[in-house]
Short mmCIF file of all heavy atoms in Angstrom, two decimals:
data_model
loop_
_atom_site.label_atom_id
_atom_site.label_comp_id
_atom_site.label_asym_id
_atom_site.label_seq_id
_atom_site.Cartn_x
_atom_site.Cartn_y
_atom_site.Cartn_z
N ALA A 1269 100.55 98.58 108.20
CA ALA A 1269 100.79 100.02 108.31
C ALA A 1269 101.18 100.42 109.73
O ALA A 1269 102.07 101.26 109.93
CB ALA A 1269 99.53 100.78 107.87
N VAL A 1270 100.53 99.83 110.71
CA VAL A 1270 100.87 100.11 112.11
C VAL A 1270 102.28 99.63 112.41
O VAL A 1270 103.07 100.31 113.09
CB VAL A 1270 99.85 99.46 113.06
CG1 VAL A 1270 100.33 99.56 114.51
CG2 VAL A 1270 98.48 100.10 112.90
N ALA A 1271 102.64 98.46 111.88
CA ALA A 1271 103.99 97.92 112.08
C ALA A 1271 105.04 98.84 111.47
O ALA A 1271 106.09 99.11 112.08
CB ALA A 1271 104.09 96.53 111.47
N VAL A 1272 104.75 99.36 110.28
CA VAL A 1272 105.68 100.29 109.63
C VAL A 1272 105.79 101.58 110.43
O VAL A 1272 106.88 102.13 110.60
CB VAL A 1272 105.21 100.59 108.18
CG1 VAL A 1272 106.01 101.76 107.58
CG2 VAL A 1272 105.37 99.35 107.31
N ALA A 1273 104.65 102.07 110.94
CA ALA A 1273 104.65 103.29 111.76
C ALA A 1273 105.49 103.11 113.02
O ALA A 1273 106.13 104.05 113.50
CB ALA A 1273 103.23 103.68 112.12
N LEU A 1274 105.50 101.87 113.55
CA LEU A 1274 106.31 101.56 114.74
C LEU A 1274 107.73 101.15 114.38
O LEU A 1274 108.49 100.74 115.26
CB LEU A 1274 105.63 100.44 115.54
CG LEU A 1274 104.25 100.78 116.12
CD1 LEU A 1274 103.63 99.55 116.77
CD2 LEU A 1274 104.34 101.92 117.13
N GLN A 1275 108.05 101.23 113.08
CA GLN A 1275 109.38 100.90 112.55
C GLN A 1275 109.77 99.45 112.85
O GLN A 1275 110.92 99.15 113.22
CB GLN A 1275 110.43 101.87 113.11
CG GLN A 1275 110.17 103.31 112.70
CD GLN A 1275 111.26 104.26 113.18
OE1 GLN A 1275 112.02 103.95 114.08
NE2 GLN A 1275 111.32 105.43 112.56
N LEU A 1276 108.80 98.56 112.68
CA LEU A 1276 109.04 97.13 112.86
C LEU A 1276 109.33 96.46 111.53
O LEU A 1276 108.72 96.80 110.51
CB LEU A 1276 107.82 96.47 113.52
CG LEU A 1276 107.41 96.99 114.90
CD1 LEU A 1276 106.14 96.29 115.36
CD2 LEU A 1276 108.54 96.79 115.92
N GLU A 1277 110.24 95.52 111.50
CA GLU A 1277 110.56 94.76 110.30
C GLU A 1277 109.49 93.69 110.09
O GLU A 1277 109.09 93.00 111.02
CB GLU A 1277 111.93 94.10 110.44
CG GLU A 1277 112.26 93.11 109.36
CD GLU A 1277 112.32 93.73 107.97
OE1 GLU A 1277 112.72 94.92 107.86
OE2 GLU A 1277 111.97 93.04 107.01
N LEU A 1278 108.99 93.58 108.86
CA LEU A 1278 107.90 92.64 108.57
C LEU A 1278 108.36 91.41 107.79
O LEU A 1278 107.85 90.31 107.99
CB LEU A 1278 106.80 93.35 107.78
CG LEU A 1278 105.97 94.39 108.55
CD1 LEU A 1278 105.04 95.11 107.59
CD2 LEU A 1278 105.20 93.73 109.67
N ASN A 1279 109.31 91.57 106.89
CA ASN A 1279 109.70 90.47 106.02
C ASN A 1279 110.35 89.32 106.78
O ASN A 1279 110.00 88.15 106.59
CB ASN A 1279 110.65 90.98 104.92
CG ASN A 1279 109.96 91.92 103.96
OD1 ASN A 1279 108.99 91.55 103.31
ND2 ASN A 1279 110.45 93.15 103.88
N GLU A 1280 111.30 89.65 107.64
CA GLU A 1280 112.05 88.60 108.35
C GLU A 1280 111.18 87.78 109.31
O GLU A 1280 111.24 86.55 109.28
CB GLU A 1280 113.22 89.23 109.11
CG GLU A 1280 114.17 88.20 109.70
CD GLU A 1280 115.39 88.86 110.32
OE1 GLU A 1280 115.69 90.01 109.95
OE2 GLU A 1280 116.03 88.22 111.17
N PRO A 1281 110.32 88.41 110.16
CA PRO A 1281 109.47 87.61 111.04
C PRO A 1281 108.51 86.69 110.29
O PRO A 1281 108.11 85.64 110.81
CB PRO A 1281 108.71 88.67 111.85
CG PRO A 1281 109.56 89.88 111.79
CD PRO A 1281 110.21 89.84 110.45
N LEU A 1282 108.12 87.10 109.08
CA LEU A 1282 107.19 86.29 108.28
C LEU A 1282 107.93 85.32 107.35
O LEU A 1282 107.29 84.64 106.53
CB LEU A 1282 106.29 87.21 107.45
CG LEU A 1282 105.36 88.13 108.24
CD1 LEU A 1282 104.63 89.09 107.31
CD2 LEU A 1282 104.35 87.32 109.04
N ASN A 1283 109.26 85.27 107.49
CA ASN A 1283 110.08 84.40 106.64
C ASN A 1283 109.90 84.69 105.15
O ASN A 1283 109.81 83.78 104.32
CB ASN A 1283 109.78 82.92 106.92
CG ASN A 1283 110.20 82.51 108.32
OD1 ASN A 1283 111.27 82.92 108.79
ND2 ASN A 1283 109.37 81.72 108.99
N LEU A 1284 109.83 85.97 104.83
CA LEU A 1284 109.65 86.39 103.45
C LEU A 1284 110.96 86.96 102.91
O LEU A 1284 111.76 87.51 103.67
CB LEU A 1284 108.55 87.47 103.36
CG LEU A 1284 107.14 87.04 103.76
CD1 LEU A 1284 106.23 88.25 103.78
CD2 LEU A 1284 106.60 85.99 102.81
N PRO A 1285 111.19 86.83 101.62
CA PRO A 1285 112.38 87.45 101.02
C PRO A 1285 112.37 88.96 101.23
O PRO A 1285 111.32 89.57 101.46
CB PRO A 1285 112.26 87.10 99.53
CG PRO A 1285 111.35 85.91 99.49
CD PRO A 1285 110.40 86.06 100.63
N SER A 1286 113.53 89.55 101.16
CA SER A 1286 113.65 90.99 101.36
C SER A 1286 112.76 91.77 100.41
O SER A 1286 112.63 91.44 99.23
CB SER A 1286 115.11 91.40 101.15
OG SER A 1286 115.27 92.79 101.31
N ASN A 1287 112.10 92.81 100.96
CA ASN A 1287 111.24 93.74 100.20
C ASN A 1287 109.95 93.11 99.68
O ASN A 1287 109.26 93.72 98.84
CB ASN A 1287 112.00 94.36 99.02
CG ASN A 1287 113.11 95.29 99.47
OD1 ASN A 1287 112.97 95.99 100.46
ND2 ASN A 1287 114.22 95.27 98.75
N THR A 1288 109.58 91.92 100.17
CA THR A 1288 108.33 91.29 99.71
C THR A 1288 107.11 92.10 100.10
O THR A 1288 106.22 92.35 99.27
CB THR A 1288 108.20 89.86 100.28
OG1 THR A 1288 109.31 89.08 99.85
CG2 THR A 1288 106.91 89.21 99.80
N VAL A 1289 107.04 92.52 101.35
CA VAL A 1289 105.90 93.31 101.83
C VAL A 1289 105.81 94.62 101.06
O VAL A 1289 104.72 95.05 100.67
CB VAL A 1289 106.03 93.58 103.34
CG1 VAL A 1289 104.96 94.59 103.80
CG2 VAL A 1289 105.89 92.30 104.13
N GLU A 1290 106.95 95.26 100.83
CA GLU A 1290 106.96 96.52 100.10
C GLU A 1290 106.48 96.33 98.66
O GLU A 1290 105.74 97.19 98.13
CB GLU A 1290 108.37 97.12 100.09
CG GLU A 1290 108.86 97.62 101.44
CD GLU A 1290 109.29 96.51 102.38
OE1 GLU A 1290 109.37 95.34 101.95
OE2 GLU A 1290 109.58 96.81 103.56
N THR A 1291 106.85 95.22 98.04
CA THR A 1291 106.41 94.95 96.67
C THR A 1291 104.91 94.70 96.62
O THR A 1291 104.21 95.17 95.71
CB THR A 1291 107.16 93.73 96.10
OG1 THR A 1291 108.57 93.98 96.14
CG2 THR A 1291 106.74 93.46 94.66
N ILE A 1292 104.41 93.97 97.61
CA ILE A 1292 102.96 93.72 97.68
C ILE A 1292 102.21 95.04 97.87
O ILE A 1292 101.19 95.30 97.21
CB ILE A 1292 102.64 92.75 98.83
CG1 ILE A 1292 103.21 91.36 98.54
CG2 ILE A 1292 101.13 92.67 99.06
CD1 ILE A 1292 103.07 90.38 99.69
N ALA A 1293 102.72 95.89 98.76
CA ALA A 1293 102.08 97.19 99.00
C ALA A 1293 102.09 98.05 97.75
O ALA A 1293 101.08 98.73 97.43
CB ALA A 1293 102.81 97.92 100.13
N ALA A 1294 103.20 98.03 97.00
CA ALA A 1294 103.28 98.80 95.76
C ALA A 1294 102.28 98.28 94.72
O ALA A 1294 101.63 99.07 94.01
CB ALA A 1294 104.69 98.73 95.20
N THR A 1295 102.15 96.96 94.65
CA THR A 1295 101.19 96.35 93.71
C THR A 1295 99.76 96.74 94.08
O THR A 1295 98.95 97.07 93.20
CB THR A 1295 101.32 94.82 93.73
OG1 THR A 1295 102.67 94.47 93.42
CG2 THR A 1295 100.38 94.19 92.71
N VAL A 1296 99.45 96.73 95.36
CA VAL A 1296 98.12 97.12 95.82
C VAL A 1296 97.83 98.57 95.46
O VAL A 1296 96.73 98.91 95.00
CB VAL A 1296 97.99 96.90 97.35
CG1 VAL A 1296 96.72 97.56 97.88
CG2 VAL A 1296 97.99 95.41 97.68
N THR A 1297 98.82 99.44 95.66
CA THR A 1297 98.64 100.85 95.32
C THR A 1297 98.37 101.03 93.83
O THR A 1297 97.49 101.82 93.43
CB THR A 1297 99.90 101.67 95.70
OG1 THR A 1297 100.21 101.45 97.06
CG2 THR A 1297 99.67 103.15 95.48
N PHE A 1298 99.10 100.31 93.00
CA PHE A 1298 98.89 100.40 91.55
C PHE A 1298 97.46 99.96 91.20
O PHE A 1298 96.78 100.61 90.39
CB PHE A 1298 99.91 99.53 90.81
CG PHE A 1298 99.84 99.67 89.32
CD1 PHE A 1298 100.47 100.73 88.68
CD2 PHE A 1298 99.14 98.75 88.54
CE1 PHE A 1298 100.40 100.87 87.29
CE2 PHE A 1298 99.06 98.88 87.17
CZ PHE A 1298 99.70 99.95 86.54
N LEU A 1299 96.97 98.87 91.82
CA LEU A 1299 95.61 98.41 91.57
C LEU A 1299 94.58 99.44 92.03
O LEU A 1299 93.56 99.66 91.38
CB LEU A 1299 95.38 97.08 92.27
CG LEU A 1299 96.16 95.87 91.72
CD1 LEU A 1299 95.94 94.65 92.60
CD2 LEU A 1299 95.76 95.58 90.28
N ILE A 1300 94.86 100.09 93.16
CA ILE A 1300 93.96 101.13 93.67
C ILE A 1300 93.84 102.27 92.66
O ILE A 1300 92.75 102.79 92.39
CB ILE A 1300 94.47 101.68 95.02
CG1 ILE A 1300 94.25 100.64 96.12
CG2 ILE A 1300 93.79 102.99 95.38
CD1 ILE A 1300 94.90 101.01 97.44
N LEU A 1301 94.97 102.65 92.06
CA LEU A 1301 94.96 103.75 91.09
C LEU A 1301 94.28 103.36 89.79
O LEU A 1301 93.65 104.21 89.14
CB LEU A 1301 96.39 104.22 90.84
CG LEU A 1301 97.10 104.80 92.06
CD1 LEU A 1301 98.52 105.21 91.72
CD2 LEU A 1301 96.33 105.99 92.61
N VAL A 1302 94.37 102.10 89.41
CA VAL A 1302 93.64 101.62 88.23
C VAL A 1302 92.14 101.68 88.50
O VAL A 1302 91.35 102.12 87.66
CB VAL A 1302 94.08 100.19 87.86
CG1 VAL A 1302 93.17 99.61 86.77
CG2 VAL A 1302 95.52 100.18 87.37
N LEU A 1303 91.74 101.24 89.69
CA LEU A 1303 90.32 101.31 90.07
C LEU A 1303 89.85 102.76 90.11
O LEU A 1303 88.74 103.08 89.67
CB LEU A 1303 90.10 100.64 91.43
CG LEU A 1303 90.28 99.12 91.47
CD1 LEU A 1303 90.28 98.61 92.91
CD2 LEU A 1303 89.17 98.43 90.67
N TRP A 1304 90.69 103.64 90.66
CA TRP A 1304 90.35 105.07 90.70
C TRP A 1304 90.14 105.62 89.30
O TRP A 1304 89.21 106.40 89.07
CB TRP A 1304 91.47 105.84 91.41
CG TRP A 1304 91.31 107.32 91.39
CD1 TRP A 1304 90.28 108.05 91.93
CD2 TRP A 1304 92.18 108.29 90.78
NE1 TRP A 1304 90.47 109.40 91.72
CE2 TRP A 1304 91.63 109.57 91.02
CE3 TRP A 1304 93.38 108.19 90.09
CZ2 TRP A 1304 92.24 110.74 90.58
CZ3 TRP A 1304 93.98 109.35 89.65
CH2 TRP A 1304 93.42 110.61 89.89
N ALA A 1305 90.97 105.21 88.37
CA ALA A 1305 90.87 105.72 87.01
C ALA A 1305 89.54 105.37 86.36
O ALA A 1305 89.00 106.15 85.56
CB ALA A 1305 92.02 105.17 86.16
N PHE A 1306 88.98 104.21 86.71
CA PHE A 1306 87.76 103.76 86.04
C PHE A 1306 86.50 103.96 86.86
O PHE A 1306 85.44 103.46 86.49
CB PHE A 1306 87.90 102.28 85.65
CG PHE A 1306 88.87 102.06 84.52
CD1 PHE A 1306 90.17 101.64 84.78
CD2 PHE A 1306 88.50 102.32 83.22
CE1 PHE A 1306 91.07 101.45 83.74
CE2 PHE A 1306 89.39 102.13 82.18
CZ PHE A 1306 90.68 101.70 82.44
N THR A 1307 86.60 104.71 87.97
CA THR A 1307 85.38 105.03 88.71
C THR A 1307 84.90 106.45 88.42
O THR A 1307 83.97 106.94 89.06
CB THR A 1307 85.59 104.90 90.24
OG1 THR A 1307 86.76 105.63 90.62
CG2 THR A 1307 85.72 103.46 90.65
#
């Protein structure tokens, strides 16, 4: 999150395919909302 706030690219330095970090973040958000639904 700090890297994104500083407008730093994350995928390329980590040798990850394009949009990998964004996909992981989206998946985490979906899991958070599922947990929210059942609490």
Side-chain angles (χ1 to χ4, degrees):
V1270 171
V1272 169
L1274 297 174
Q1275 298 184 341
L1276 300 177
E1277 170 62 33
L1278 290 174
N1279 293 301
E1280 188 174 339
L1282 297 174
N1283 294 319
L1284 297 173
S1286 179
N1287 292 324
T1288 300
V1289 171
E1290 291 77 8
T1291 302
I1292 293 173
T1295 303
V1296 169
T1297 306
F1298 186 82
L1299 292 174
I1300 287 172
L1301 297 179
V1302 171
L1303 291 170
W1304 174 61
F1306 289 100
T1307 51

